[in-house]
Amino acid sequence: MLDKEKELLMKLAEGDEAAFHRLFEYYYPRVKVFLSRMIECDEDVKDLTQNIFIRIWILRAMLPEINSFGAYLYRMSRNAAIDYCKSRGVRVSLPDEFEGYAEESSDEKYVARETELRISREVSMLPRKRRKIFIMSRVEGLPNAEIAKRLDISVKTVENQITLALKQLRGVVSVIALIMGI
């Protein structure tokens, strides 16, 4: 483990490029070796590794919330390799020494809880009518026609409001997905 890793993550979250370079220098070779065990093409391994670190830079504000940066980085690398292999129709098998990371980590549990909280907050911030329609549809499971009838509005209005709500919620989910490398 890198000395003062948590401190580096805090600095990185604030945009400190020197902190990013220290983390990059330490972890880049490890990520590259890990990916090269599943992917044969050296150029693709380099590209995937660089993309992972680009995502880390982009998502740096969320890094202080991560308890184990190594496990987080492993998960991102693992998901990148799986996506790469799936896109090429190749089955991927993980190297044995990395299997311990595959268990759900406390970071993943934290992110799942955080995702639920953020979605709940986002739903509560929807305009009143849109929130009501969304809850009737997604929580209560009512069909659009029934919602329209109960609220005395058109089915098209119901559909539009659900679409707008989902669009807003996708933004929250996609940010969290990027953070986890899903």
Side-chain angles (χ1 to χ4, degrees), residues 92-138:
V92 64
S93 61
L94 298 174
D96 290 340
E97 65 267 27
F98 294 102
E99 284 299 323
Y101 285 120
E103 298 171 12
E104 185 174 41
S105 68
S106 59
D107 291 336
E108 288 172 323
K109 290 176 187 172
Y110 169 81
V111 170
R113 278 194 317 274
E114 185 65 22
T115 301
E116 289 176 29
L117 287 173
R118 288 183 185 193
I119 289 173
S120 293
R121 269 191 301 242
E122 242 1 87
V123 168
S124 72
M125 291 171 38
L126 291 171
R128 186 184 58 76
K129 185 176 179 180
R130 186 175 303 156
R131 180 177 57 242
K132 185 172 187 162
I133 291 169
F134 181 81
I135 290 171
M136 290 173 83
S137 172
R138 295 307 196 257

Side-chain angles (χ1 to χ4, degrees), residues 78-91:
R78 177 183 169 272
N79 291 341
I82 290 169
D83 290 344
Y84 170 89
C85 291
K86 279 182 183 176
S87 72
R88 285 158 180 77
V90 176
R91 186 163 181 209

Side-chain angles (χ1 to χ4, degrees), residues 2-180:
L2 190 59
D3 273 353
K4 301 181 183 179
E5 185 172 272
K6 197 69 171 166
E7 183 180 321
L8 286 172
L9 293 174
M10 295 293 280
K11 288 180 180 179
L12 174 56
E14 296 168 359
D16 186 326
E17 290 181 26
F20 176 77
H21 287 292
R22 282 207 48 213
L23 287 165
F24 179 85
E25 288 173 0
Y26 182 79
Y27 283 109
Y28 181 88
R30 288 161 175 76
V31 170
K32 195 172 163 201
V33 166
F34 172 71
L35 291 174
S36 68
R37 292 182 181 168
M38 293 178 283
I39 299 167
E40 292 179 11
C41 178
D42 287 338
E43 281 303 309
D44 289 345
V45 168
K46 287 178 189 174
D47 288 346
L48 285 171
T49 305
Q50 288 173 355
N51 288 339
I52 288 166
F53 282 95
I54 289 169
R55 286 176 62 193
I56 287 170
W57 176 258
I58 291 169
L59 301 169
R60 65 188 175 273
M62 302 297 273
L63 294 177
E65 299 173 10
I66 308 278
N67 292 325
S68 172
F69 185 69
Y72 173 75
L73 193 56
Y74 161 78
R75 177 66 74 182
M76 286 181 78
S77 303
R78 177 183 169 272
N79 291 341
I82 290 169
D83 290 344
Y84 170 89
C85 291
K86 279 182 183 176
S87 72
R88 285 158 180 77
V90 176
R91 186 163 181 209
V92 64
S93 61
L94 298 174
D96 290 340
E97 65 267 27
F98 294 102
E99 284 299 323
Y101 285 120
E103 298 171 12
E104 185 174 41
S105 68
S106 59
D107 291 336
E108 288 172 323
K109 290 176 187 172
Y110 169 81
V111 170
R113 278 194 317 274
E114 185 65 22
T115 301
E116 289 176 29
L117 287 173
R118 288 183 185 193
I119 289 173
S120 293
R121 269 191 301 242
E122 242 1 87
V123 168
S124 72
M125 291 171 38
L126 291 171
R128 186 184 58 76
K129 185 176 179 180
R130 186 175 303 156
R131 180 177 57 242
K132 185 172 187 162
I133 291 169
F134 181 81
I135 290 171
M136 290 173 83
S137 172
R138 295 307 196 257
V139 177
E140 296 173 21
L142 296 174
N144 292 352
E146 178 66 22
I147 296 168
K149 182 180 174 185
R150 286 186 184 189
L151 299 178
D152 196 29
I153 56 177
S154 73
V155 173
K156 189 70 174 161
T157 299
V158 171
E159 292 169 354
N160 288 338
Q161 292 299 309
I162 291 171
T163 298
L164 291 169
L166 290 172
K167 183 177 180 184
Q168 187 172 342
L169 295 175
R170 269 189 211 105
V172 173
V173 173
S174 62
V175 166
I176 294 178
L178 279 172
I179 291 168
M180 288 305 292

